[in-house]
Amino acid sequence: MAPLTPRLVVPIDVKKQPWEQKIPLHNRWHPDIPPVADVTEGELFRVEMVDWTGGRVRDDNSADDIKFMDLTITHYLSGPLRIVDTEGVPASPGDLLAVEICNLGPLPGDEWGYTAIFERENGGGFLTDHFPRARKAIWYFEGIYAYSPQIPGVRFPGLTHPGIIGTAPSVELLNIWNEREKRLAETSPETLKVCEVLHQRPLANLPTPENCLLGKIQKGTTEWHKMANEAARTIPGRENGGNCDIKNLSRGSKVYLPVFVEGANLSTGDMHFSQGDGEVSFCGAIEMSGFLELKCEIIRGGMKEYLIPVGPTPLHVNPIFEIGPVEPRFSEWLVFEGISVDESGKQHFLDASVAYKRAVLNAIEYLSRFGYSKEQVYLLLSCCPCEGRISGIVDSPNAVATLAIPTAIFDQDIRPKHLRERPGPKLIRLPDLLSCSNDGHLPVTQDQSGRSVP
């Protein structure tokens, strides 16, 4: 017998706002957000998702939507889903939820995405000291491949994955999150910098009722006000999984998530067509709407058996991820190294963030010699299937990080000149990125379908 069609448990209409969807969405973590559907262990089911902004980014020639993005909205999630076994008994706290990704992709009819750099004054990014202005690149999908009119000469297969997948926290775990993040937020920002740069983002994103969406909980009620002031923002990954942005979490992968509440209350969102390791530009994957087709298994008592707490309570655990067999295969890479010495020449002691920043900057500097602006390369390294590594964390005082870029994604040979098998490429002038200029337009034309092309 042929396998059954996956049951659609969360449908999405991309023409409607997140709060107008048939099945309510949410953009916070809280144990009391009601589940929107029950899913039985072993059942194949389908979840559809809006992009993380809920459609606020447009397929157009302006980055104003990025420049003025209200980051209190992040992220719109589909769920929660209550997971039960074949006898109807829900997953229980202390269990482990094995979630298998059977299929995924962009929503039919919405096959496009975007990568962006946030304005320094509105979040910035890993290299905000070098790239302080908002920029946006649009990507169109052709099967497994993506191309962008704003970064011409590049085409690559996407390793599609959900940026966010996680279970609901218990009351105790939610309190742990809020207390520790509140202490961090109260720290003097001048004492905590990333790579010697004071970012414009807060050190932690604390609960706020502003733009809070809590699924079936009606906005403005007493219950909503209480939960909105407690519910955790979805921005960082935590013990429940959440916003981990692991690019290899694609078809055939499994996630082993801890269960903290009855039913597990599984939620997912923030779909990515492709992403580079680190997602360095902050809005750095190819963000899109999409779908997941999943199966779940409940491992009774699995938290204690398989997850080792690292912290003061048994709740201080982290998920396990089993990477699937499907991913792009490249045979040639160009690898850039960075050490923990910053741009001013200052030595940092085994600082992997500084080392990775140097590797990314070295790659940007090199690739900009092939006709690309540095902003174009920055966005490309955030979303193409490049691979970042902490290559050395042992030899004092320098941490060593590397960034490997597959050379096959370019339509020109980017290797050093003496290694090229064909004549070296001519430097070409490429279009500027979508920017916040006066008219917001680019020197691009359109194909017969109306899409912009170089």
Side-chain angles (χ1 to χ4, degrees):
M1 178 182 292
L4 297 176
T5 301
R7 179 168 68 98
L8 179 59
V9 294
V10 182
I12 286 296
D13 183 346
V14 294
K15 296 180 181 179
K16 293 184 178 180
Q17 298 293 333
W19 50 88
E20 297 173 335
Q21 298 296 325
K22 180 179 179 181
I23 303 295
L25 307 182
H26 63 103
N27 62 1
R28 302 289 193 272
W29 294 112
H30 196 283
D32 295 334
I33 297 176
V36 297
D38 280 11
V39 171
T40 302
E41 184 177 24
E43 174 186 10
L44 181 62
F45 63 97
R46 178 182 172 112
V47 179
E48 296 181 346
M49 290 155 279
V50 297
D51 81 285
W52 72 272
T53 73
R56 298 193 184 203
V57 177
R58 299 175 298 276
D59 178 7
D60 64 12
N61 289 338
S62 172
D64 283 348
D65 46 12
I66 297 297
K67 181 175 181 178
F68 301 109
M69 178 67 64
D70 185 346
L71 296 181
T72 63
I73 66 170
T74 56
H75 303 79
Y76 289 111
L77 305 182
S78 295
L81 302 175
R82 180 175 178 263
I83 314 300
V84 302
D85 64 21
T86 55
E87 297 180 355
V89 179
S92 300
D95 292 345
L96 205 60
L97 186 67
V99 183
E100 180 180 357
I101 298 177
C102 301
N103 196 15
L104 76 176
L107 288 180
D110 203 40
E111 293 93 350
W112 71 280
Y114 58 91
T115 305
I117 304 169
F118 281 120
E119 195 87 358
R120 177 181 172 87
E121 287 71 29
N122 190 32
F126 189 48
L127 301 182
T128 192
D129 50 330
H130 292 265
F131 303 100
R133 301 279 75 86
R135 295 290 185 268
K136 182 176 76 178
I138 300 296
W139 297 88
Y140 300 117
F141 310 145
E142 295 177 334
I144 66 170
Y145 290 93
Y147 72 93
S148 172
Q150 289 75 48
I151 311 179
V154 173
R155 184 173 183 262
F156 54 81
L159 188 54
T160 304
H161 60 280
I164 296 179
I165 187 166
T167 52
S170 62
V171 172
E172 182 182 357
L173 183 58
L174 179 63
N175 289 337
I176 289 172
W177 292 352
N178 287 339
E179 289 171 7
R180 74 187 182 196
E181 292 173 18
K182 183 173 183 292
R183 287 195 297 270
L184 179 62
E186 292 172 346
T187 302
S188 173
E190 287 72 22
T191 65
L192 291 175
K193 298 180 180 180
V194 177
C195 304
E196 290 297 294
V197 176
L198 179 61
H199 281 232
Q200 298 299 312
R201 281 180 279 170
L203 299 178
N205 295 275
L206 301 179
T208 173
E210 186 178 2
N211 288 319
C212 182
L213 195 62
L214 296 173
K216 292 181 178 181
I217 303 299
Q218 186 176 352
K219 185 175 181 179
T221 62
T222 301
E223 183 180 16
W224 182 90
H225 281 289
K226 177 181 182 299
M227 291 173 58
N229 283 286
E230 300 170 344
R233 303 290 302 282
T234 59
I235 291 176
R238 300 184 181 92
E239 285 83 352
N240 69 327
N243 194 20
C244 295
D245 291 322
I246 298 174
K247 72 178 177 66
N248 299 87
L249 196 61
S250 194
R251 288 180 181 86
S253 298
K254 277 190 176 181
V255 190
Y256 297 86
L257 295 167
V259 176
F260 301 106
V261 301
E262 182 179 285
N265 284 4
L266 175 70
S267 296
T268 186
D270 188 27
M271 285 294 292
H272 298 164
F273 186 83
S274 177
Q275 179 197 296
D277 282 334
E279 198 180 5
V280 290
S281 76
F282 183 25
C283 188
I286 300 181
E287 310 284 349
M288 68 172 192
S289 65
F291 73 91
L292 288 175
E293 292 176 0
L294 307 171
K295 287 197 300 185
C296 293
E297 177 188 357
I298 301 170
I299 304 174
R300 299 294 183 184
M303 277 182 63
K304 184 175 182 181
E305 185 171 358
Y306 296 110
L307 302 184
I308 307 302
V310 181
T313 80
L315 303 179
H316 287 80
V317 294
N318 293 104
I320 298 172
F321 298 85
E322 184 179 344
I323 299 304
V326 179
E327 64 178 6
R329 301 294 182 184
F330 299 100
S331 60
E332 296 183 357
W333 302 76
L334 207 57
V335 181
F336 297 87
E337 178 186 299
I339 60 175
S340 51
V341 176
D342 67 25
E343 301 92 301
S344 71
K346 180 179 177 179
Q347 177 76 63
H348 296 257
F349 182 75
L350 295 181
D351 191 324
S353 293
V354 171
Y356 196 57
K357 181 183 182 184
R358 289 302 315 161
V360 175
L361 286 171
N362 290 340
I364 290 173
E365 186 65 34
Y366 178 89
L367 291 174
S368 67
R369 301 174 184 177
F370 291 84
Y372 295 99
S373 71
K374 293 182 179 181
E375 287 86 358
Q376 286 174 312
V377 181
Y378 182 30
L379 283 175
L380 178 62
L381 297 182
S382 196
C383 67
C384 78
C386 57
E387 297 191 354
R389 298 284 188 273
I390 298 176
S391 301
I393 203 73
V394 60
D395 295 319
S396 302
N398 278 337
V400 178
T402 53
L403 178 65
I405 302 169
T407 58
I409 71 175
F410 297 91
D411 66 359
Q412 56 179 311
D413 194 337
I414 64 167
R415 293 175 301 167
K417 187 174 182 179
H418 73 283
L419 296 177
R420 298 173 194 158
E421 298 177 355
R422 55 186 184 272
K426 297 179 180 179
L427 294 184
I428 55 176
R429 179 179 175 85
L430 298 179
D432 293 332
L433 291 170
L434 299 185
S435 62
C436 300
S437 59
N438 290 334
D439 59 7
H441 288 86
L442 291 172
V444 296
T445 58
Q446 291 186 331
D447 63 16
Q448 292 180 350
S449 67
R451 288 178 171 175
S452 299
V453 296

